Amino acid sequence: MQELHDAPLAPLTTFRLGGPANRLVTATTDDEVIAAVREADTAGTPLLIIGGGSNLVIGDKGFDGTALRIATKGFSLEGTRLELAAGEVWTDAVARTVEAGLAGIECLAGIPGSAGATPIQNVGAYGQEVSATITEVVAYDRRAGETVTVANEDCDFSYRHSRFKAEPDRFVVLRVRFGLEDARGMSAPVKYAETARVLGVGTGDRVPLAAARETVLGLRAGKGMVLDPDDHDTWSAGSFFTNPILTEAQYATFLTRVRDRLGPDTAPPAFPAGEGLVKTSAAWLIDRAGFTKGYGSGPARISTKHTLALTNRGEATTEDLLALAREVVAGVQDAFGVTLVNEPVTVGVSL
């Protein structure tokens, strides 16, 4: 287990932002993870868990405590059952399941970060969410002081949310288990309209697994959502805001605001989100409120490829990023009466 003091955290995040931690511990086994967590909890030391760093916004002052970087490895495939150590690189794991001819997570290709983060955020994209294939999550329960196995039905999965996200100071994910599908080299049914269009199939159709993965990677790359150290559009946390979910009454008020501003025939995106709920598009709201691709004049700007990504152009600070985020939130609220919520976890700062 490696230990550093006054350690820079910015290189461990995809934003490349944030100050140092008093102490940085890198754990390569589950036992090391548990030992580091127990040590911090016993001493009453603040603890920050870092996986792939793709969903973190760390303040410029850094973290006054112990940062624990989970770098565990483990990929086990038995039939259609997959187990991943929390530190496994997610997009690499997806590629290996496609090579093995198993369906269920192929449309989650290219998502940066570690496997252990996927159940916390209920990671999803292009018509798939990990909650559809996760069977169990093995975690260290800091409250009970023991390792527990949490079944899918006890994870409380919802849109970009879970029990683990709701109780961030309780669970430390160690391993994630999935139940995949052997569809003889074919993908799960394609659910996302854009993916289906590019593939030339209808929604609900299956395509070769490799084709599904490559198509998603191409779509993500076109939006700056595949990590590339030479492309500042990828110096981001991907989608910075979640898609708003409104009650039917809130949606009716929102629709009135939209049509007053953009014209009586304007139809904003709307998707069923459960009984009495409607989900709309954060990217659409941001664009229609006047924050177009490339918006900004400082070192933090909206991506030139996707309005939902806020980016570090190379010299930004966390405060630069937050100033831009606050400007976008205020602008969307003023234009449409909808409050955007940040998707990345903030450390030592807030919007």
Side-chain angles (χ1 to χ4, degrees), residues 241 282-292 302 307-308 328 332 340:
F241 300 103
W284 188 93
L285 289 168
I286 292 167
D287 182 74
R288 299 311 190 278
F291 303 100
T292 53
I302 290 177
T307 54
L308 203 49
V328 172
V332 169
L340 294 177

Side-chain angles (χ1 to χ4, degrees), residues 118-176:
T118 60
I120 298 171
Q121 196 75 2
N122 187 18
V123 164
Y126 295 96
Q128 290 182 345
E129 289 184 331
V130 292
S131 57
T133 51
I134 286 176
T135 57
E136 294 177 329
V137 176
V138 180
Y140 178 68
D141 185 339
R142 298 167 68 183
R143 184 183 302 171
E146 62 183 16
T147 300
V148 297
T149 300
V150 185
N152 178 290
E153 56 268 26
D154 296 320
C155 292
D156 298 337
F157 287 124
S158 59
Y159 172 65
R160 301 298 173 270
H161 200 69
S162 70
R163 181 181 181 183
F164 311 106
K165 188 174 182 179
E167 300 181 84
D169 297 325
R170 180 173 179 182
F171 296 102
V172 178
V173 175
L174 301 174
R175 297 187 169 266
V176 189

Side-chain angles (χ1 to χ4, degrees), residues 83-322:
E83 179 178 289
L84 298 176
E88 281 288 331
V89 176
W90 173 252
T91 194
D92 292 348
V94 172
R96 291 177 70 177
T97 65
V98 169
E99 290 170 3
L102 297 177
I105 57 175
E106 62 278 0
C107 290
L108 303 179
I111 293 176
S114 62
T118 60
I120 298 171
Q121 196 75 2
N122 187 18
V123 164
Y126 295 96
Q128 290 182 345
E129 289 184 331
V130 292
S131 57
T133 51
I134 286 176
T135 57
E136 294 177 329
V137 176
V138 180
Y140 178 68
D141 185 339
R142 298 167 68 183
R143 184 183 302 171
E146 62 183 16
T147 300
V148 297
T149 300
V150 185
N152 178 290
E153 56 268 26
D154 296 320
C155 292
D156 298 337
F157 287 124
S158 59
Y159 172 65
R160 301 298 173 270
H161 200 69
S162 70
R163 181 181 181 183
F164 311 106
K165 188 174 182 179
E167 300 181 84
D169 297 325
R170 180 173 179 182
F171 296 102
V172 178
V173 175
L174 301 174
R175 297 187 169 266
V176 189
R177 294 170 179 156
F178 300 82
L180 304 178
E181 179 189 7
D182 184 352
R184 298 184 179 181
M186 302 298 281
S187 71
V190 176
K191 294 182 179 180
Y192 200 71
E194 184 182 21
T195 313
R197 177 181 57 78
V198 173
L199 285 164
V201 299
T203 55
D205 291 345
R206 294 179 184 263
V207 298
L209 277 165
R213 176 178 175 270
E214 290 302 321
T215 296
V216 166
L217 286 173
L219 289 170
R220 291 186 65 86
K223 299 172 183 178
M225 298 291 186
V226 176
L227 293 181
D228 179 349
D230 296 324
D231 181 359
H232 285 282
D233 278 334
T234 75
W235 290 33
S236 75
S239 298
F240 195 87
F241 300 103
T242 58
N243 290 321
I245 295 178
L246 309 175
T247 65
E248 290 178 347
Q250 289 171 331
Y251 184 78
T253 301
F254 162 64
L255 187 58
T256 298
R257 294 279 293 267
V258 167
R259 290 176 174 171
D260 286 346
R261 181 182 177 91
L262 301 176
D265 297 326
T266 305
F271 310 95
E275 187 174 354
L277 299 174
V278 180
K279 180 167 67 176
T280 191
S281 166
W284 188 93
L285 289 168
I286 292 167
D287 182 74
R288 299 311 190 278
F291 303 100
T292 53
K293 295 174 185 176
Y295 178 88
S297 57
R301 303 180 194 175
I302 290 177
S303 166
T304 65
K305 300 180 180 72
H306 199 293
T307 54
L308 203 49
L310 308 188
T311 68
N312 171 11
R313 306 316 293 184
E315 301 295 332
T317 65
T318 301
E319 279 305 310
D320 292 328
L321 175 76
L322 293 175

